[in-house]
Amino acid sequence: MHVPDVSVVVIVYNDAERLPTAVRSVLDQTLRGVEVVIVDDCSKDRSYEVAQELEAANPGRVRAFRLPENSGGCGAPRNHGIKQATGTYVMFLDSDDVLERNACRNMLAAAERTGSDLVSGMCVRVHLDNRWGKTTEWYPWIYARTRTLESITEYPDLLVYDTLSTNKCYRRSFLLEQGLEFPVGIHYEDLLFSAQAYVAARRITLIPNHVYYWNVVEKAAAKSISNRRHEIANFVHRMEIHRRVDELLAAKGHTAIKTAKDAKFLKHDLVLHLRDLPLLGDAYRQEFARLANGYLAGIDPAAYENVTYLQAICAYLLGKEDWKNLLAAADAMTNKGRLSSPLAERDGRVYWCAEHLDDAEGRRILDVTGQGFHTAPLSSLALGNRLTSYEDDGRGKVTLSGAVVNPLGRIARDTELSATLEFRARRQIGVRSFSFPVATVRHAGDTIEWSGTADVGGTVRPLGIIDAVWDVRLKLTAGKDRMTTRVSVGGVDLESAARLRVRPRLTRLVSDRFEPEMTKKGNLSYVLTAEGPAAVRTQSLISSAMHGKAAGVVKRGLRRALRARRNIGSGEQKVKVYHEVFSKLPVKKGTVVFESHMGKQYSDSPKAIYEELVRQKAPFQAIWSYAGAKPTGFPPEATLVKRWSWPYLRALAQAEYWVDNQGFPLALSKRPGTTYIQTWHGSALKRMGFHEPRTKAQGKPAQDRFQAAVDRFDHFLVRSEHDVRTLAKGFRLRDEVLLRTGYPRNDALVEAHAAEVDSGERVRGPLAAELGIDPAQRVLLYAPTFRANADGAVEGFSFPFDVEEFADRLGDRVTLLVRTHYLNSVSLPPSVAGRVIDVSRHHDITPLLALADGLITDYSSVMFDYAVLDRPMIFFAYDYEKYATDIRGTYFDLLDKAPGPVVATAEELMQAVAAFDEADAKYAEARRRFLAEFGEYDRGDAARQIVEKFFTRSGK
């Protein structure tokens, strides 16, 4: 008898309708040597009869079995399937999912090639009730490439994150020899079975192929076992499985894996249950806390270092059973970016709440100073807004009351308040909203309380079933600040709330009621529905018609139309229109598109060139690109276009000149009639372009695309022959492309230095007064560069020294300005106010450089610009060996050429600042050499040269 290559165990319970589709996905595999073992968990419907019919229709390929009684889970039927399987390898499939067509072939090939006991591929979640056919890959970074592990210890993330059993292929002899079985009578059996398999496997292979399609219905009437989080038994099972996995890891001595798993428990498992706590009663919460805290006591303390601040806060507050503050933290964690606590300030630090600050551990975990809630503009904060009461008149009016968080009392008691309630349709095409004034808005300590009545029935006019879901927002005005908040349900019971009568514009029989409901994130919304026998019958008839043959034609046409509409705004479609439509329009003479740092700022050399054009009254039309929701700081007389918008694409296509310092979108070709002036944004210490090992390692298509992008440059500004040897060579630029003018942004620095030499006096100007700097204070600017990980992703910024200690030791003599790289941000503790000032929101760094008496940096190209001023520099190179020897490498050794002291520790930094005057004199000659090598063309006339060469009649 021929032994199948793979046995696929398909388990089923009360799923007769979907079972044939699952089995067909196995029978249609490109690998022919596959058998199907169906195990029915004693279903009450026709599932077993359907299984028998499939067996009869596919003799020798399908076998059907039935358990004598229902086991209540997945473990028992899968175990029975293992016993009945005859294949060399075993896979598992649930009756509501399907296998990718090449899954068995790909996994078998990997297993045979490597001799692995276990092969795992990528699972894809298919969201069946998503109208756009949404799919999400399950931990795709784990499956980025093919890799074979000799032990799970080589890649602990696999055990920690991918706990599924169904996207894997197991050698059957391995399962039998190791006695591997799923636990029975307990949920979350996959977690334990997968952990046991990972630990026992002598070799594991991961492949980057899709193998398993996990069908998900978010709004299913009957929740899956793992989604019944309102049942305390669900959490009991989860805790028990985690304990068993922990015991397994401890027995094998896998300490590092245990720490990583603990972090994932805090980030994922615990979070899933915390989201539901606001809706569950005291009895549930008390039992939940007892179970969770018993387990949390055994968590490795190191795990808390690898979670977000909110995840750590939630775990801590759960341990204290502080429900008030915990529920606020859980709400903030569910709604990313929401600030749901009024905060507290103690001794210059900001904390999530005022409680537990007498505990050292509590102070450490609850400290949120670094999140910047106390310094961020009030209008930029997503303030928590909790519903406190809900009343309706049984017809069409609803009265809502709530409380908006007032963090640290930043909305002062004398601030004038007003608000409106907005009901907004949640749909993809267009925006429909209705607003109602809020009658009462008042200060109430830590919150702003509000109450208002909305005549929904008399005002809101949905477009029938098109406007199916409506969200509720409160728009609050506090003085000059305007804030929009979602209304969270909190603990308000909506079960007994009446449906609101509404008057839809279309098909009133189908939908004429608004039913209040809570969204997955706990916010208030309304769903359009119907009431009464006639309406229900009409809905049923429409539903039946929608599934008929004629409806299929209509739906396919509708899907095509909607897909076309969505594609209109897609990046691919925009690039196509740019090349095929906009680029055929005539070039507009005198039009210049400016962009700085991909639209994030009005700054740098593009700004200097623009302002020189204005000063010389050159005949041109300026168009500035901006990124983000609202442009700030841009010249009012210029035309503004949002980056990647249709106006932006048309402007680029028709511009006579492009001027930027980083790079217009790589996918957009430059027309022959357009001149591209690339100012760039700094001389190079780190290797760039084709000098980077990462670029060299890319395939030829990627290199060709990069080359095509830099070949668009008609002119490239350099400030020294160092730039010629480094940047120009790294970008493979021809010499005739180079303009040896210096950087226009540095013209102001050259001028400031010349004025200082002539007068013997340093004039700080209006910026010092704006920042409130004491004239007697020395001003130092700390401007570090960003850090990136091995994949090139930018890492978050954190101070490499104690900023409070710096202020305490030196703040009586020194004011420290902190200006992070534009890819980073910083938050300062209130305790250093006035002594340390965050100037990161000042887009243009040139005025800050002119203001500063000295510069503290690490490897930022700002060192080359500051050299123009001939002022002292300190290089805080605390990680120089790592930075200089990472994958990119540097063009020269900073330690040899630095025109100032290079320090490696925080103590050395503070000593260098204290000895500032001594270093000034000691490194004077080194600064002159540094400027001669790296800034020889910065002569103060770069902007004028550019304008006269390209934009004035004499230049043309």
Side-chain angles (χ1 to χ4, degrees), residues 199 243-255 258:
V199 169
R243 287 192 182 89
R244 294 187 192 183
V245 174
D246 291 346
E247 291 171 0
L248 169 69
L249 296 176
K252 299 294 183 180
H254 294 324
T255 306
K258 169 66 163 62

Side-chain angles (χ1 to χ4, degrees), residues 219-410:
K219 297 181 180 179
K223 294 292 185 183
S224 66
I225 292 170
S226 59
N227 284 329
R228 297 174 195 158
R229 291 187 290 272
H230 59 285
E231 301 173 3
I232 196 65
N234 183 287
F235 192 61
V236 171
H237 288 199
R238 187 185 288 271
M239 291 296 89
E240 176 58 26
I241 287 292
H242 273 282
R243 287 192 182 89
R244 294 187 192 183
V245 174
D246 291 346
E247 291 171 0
L248 169 69
L249 296 176
K252 299 294 183 180
H254 294 324
T255 306
I257 299 179
K258 169 66 163 62
T259 302
K261 176 184 165 297
D262 285 347
K264 193 224 178 181
F265 177 82
L266 295 172
K267 291 191 289 187
H268 175 72
D269 300 81
L270 188 61
V271 168
L272 285 176
H273 290 268
L274 289 176
R275 289 173 177 171
D276 297 324
L277 283 184
L279 306 174
L280 301 170
D282 290 339
Y284 180 98
R285 292 178 189 173
Q286 290 172 6
E287 181 63 9
F288 174 80
R290 184 186 69 79
L291 293 166
N293 290 330
Y295 185 77
L296 288 171
I299 291 281
D300 185 345
Y304 285 90
E305 303 301 322
N306 298 311
V307 301
T308 68
Y309 77 97
L310 277 172
Q311 290 161 352
I313 286 173
C314 283
Y316 176 82
L317 293 174
L318 177 60
K320 298 295 182 181
E321 296 190 37
D322 180 349
W323 299 111
K324 172 191 168 187
N325 290 309
L326 171 59
L327 294 179
D331 180 41
M333 190 164 52
T334 303
N335 294 273
K336 188 176 180 181
R338 178 177 290 178
L339 175 57
S340 53
S341 171
L343 308 178
E345 185 178 337
R346 299 286 188 277
D347 302 322
R349 307 295 296 178
V350 177
Y351 298 93
W352 181 256
C353 57
E355 292 76 17
H356 319 296
L357 300 184
D358 55 345
D359 172 25
E361 182 73 355
R363 287 195 304 275
R364 183 182 70 81
I365 292 177
L366 296 171
D367 190 330
V368 294
T369 309
Q371 303 306 315
F373 296 131
H374 57 296
T375 58
L378 198 60
S379 58
S380 71
L381 297 176
L383 299 179
N385 184 4
R386 182 176 55 85
L387 199 64
T388 54
S389 73
Y390 182 101
E391 299 176 5
D392 60 67
D393 65 356
R395 294 184 297 277
K397 289 185 179 180
V398 60
T399 300
L400 306 177
S401 301
V404 179
V405 167
N406 184 11
L408 301 173
R410 291 184 58 184

